[in-house]
Amino acid sequence: MITVFLLVMSVIAGILLGKYFGKRQKLAKNLLILSAGFLITVCLNEVFPQVYASGAGGGLGIFVIAGVLLQMILEALTKGFEHGHLHHHSEHNILPVALMVGLFIHAFIEGIPLANERETLSPYLLGIVFHNLPISFILGAFLFNRHGESRSTTSYPSLLIIALFALASPLGMLLGNYFNPDLQPYFLAVVGGIFLHISSVIIFESNKNHNIDWLKIGLVILGVSLALVMHLFHHHAH
């Protein structure tokens, strides 16, 4: 129940931040960069070692690549929404169905490996929670800061969209209970590929005129540092 609570609350918290601070696009971008540094560290320091230490045999790298390719396909639906690219959707008065489908599948797949997590607050779970916040921020900004829509009102379609996204990972976790636990490393490998692609795209997106962006570098270092502190605390506790 704690896992479901954290997954849902990370989305709700991000939505509320987006509702009230969504017009500050710089804030959304900085949150994404911070989360990317955290996520890529969790991916390389926690997810991949767990995958390759599982003894699942060869071919795991193919599943990592499959995760990268899957995320590329999903981004054909989301148009880079999870990277903070709002301009593809800003001209629409309603959230495109393809975007919502892409975000739902993305979050649903991330939830599947949680079914076999033995720890309540695993690094993998915290990686998802940290990842949910900026995406939900952007989603909240889109839903509540569109032209002509008051922040004080919440339409039923917006509530449905929020509910679907908030429940996507818990539903994936529910489905994961029906899979053989031996498949856990393969699902983790796929999600690791998804994490790797998203975080690397955010981190390595070209800066304007290819100038050094010290704020971006600092935010990445901060995200990495937070993940490393979590890693040390987690392993010290065990």
Side-chain angles (χ1 to χ4, degrees):
M1 288 301 295
I2 294 176
T3 298
V4 174
F5 175 79
L6 288 174
L7 290 171
V8 173
M9 287 307 299
S10 65
V11 172
I12 293 175
I15 291 288
L16 291 175
L17 286 172
K19 179 177 181 179
Y20 293 105
F21 302 101
K23 292 184 178 180
R24 302 180 184 180
Q25 293 191 11
K26 186 69 174 176
L27 176 60
K29 181 181 178 183
N30 289 342
L31 282 174
L32 276 169
I33 295 169
L34 179 67
S35 72
F38 187 93
L39 195 63
I40 199 168
T41 306
V42 168
C43 182
L44 297 176
N45 223 28
E46 306 286 349
V47 176
F48 285 164
Q50 185 177 340
V51 167
Y52 286 104
S54 65
L60 284 168
I62 299 299
F63 288 86
V64 175
I65 295 170
V68 172
L69 295 176
L70 174 60
Q71 182 57 32
M72 292 174 68
I73 294 170
L74 292 177
E75 286 175 9
L77 299 174
T78 64
K79 306 299 181 185
F81 192 88
E82 56 270 70
H83 301 151
H85 297 167
L86 279 168
H87 56 276
H88 294 289
H89 310 284
S90 58
E91 69 274 13
H92 298 283
N93 290 323
I94 60 173
L95 198 69
V97 174
L99 169 60
M100 206 50 236
V101 169
L103 289 178
F104 181 87
I105 294 173
H106 170 96
F108 183 86
I109 292 172
E110 287 178 349
I112 294 176
L114 288 170
N116 294 301
E117 286 286 328
R118 296 188 180 94
E119 304 169 42
T120 302
L121 293 175
S122 68
Y124 176 71
L125 170 62
L126 295 178
I128 294 176
V129 168
F130 209 95
H131 175 52
N132 276 348
L133 282 168
I135 295 180
S136 301
F137 181 102
I138 296 169
L139 183 60
F142 184 88
L143 290 173
F144 297 107
N145 291 284
R146 290 174 290 173
H147 179 70
E149 182 167 326
S150 172
R151 289 190 309 182
S152 62
T153 60
T154 305
S155 65
Y156 288 114
S158 294
L159 287 175
L160 177 61
I161 288 165
I162 294 167
L164 283 173
F165 187 54
L167 294 175
S169 289
L171 287 173
M173 185 173 66
L174 178 64
L175 178 66
N177 288 316
Y178 295 95
F179 289 114
N180 187 328
D182 292 340
L183 297 176
Q184 169 82 346
Y186 300 99
F187 284 117
L188 265 181
V190 170
V191 177
I194 291 174
F195 282 178
L196 185 64
H197 177 76
I198 290 176
S199 55
S200 60
V201 167
I202 294 171
I203 292 172
F204 299 117
E205 274 186 325
S206 296
N207 299 321
K208 187 176 181 180
N209 299 323
H210 296 277
N211 294 326
I212 296 176
D213 187 338
W214 292 109
L215 176 60
K216 182 176 182 179
I217 293 172
L219 288 168
V220 172
I221 292 173
L222 178 58
V224 170
S225 300
L226 288 172
L228 290 176
V229 168
M230 180 197 69
H231 172 80
L232 292 173
F233 178 79
H234 173 259
H235 287 275
H236 177 74
H238 291 80

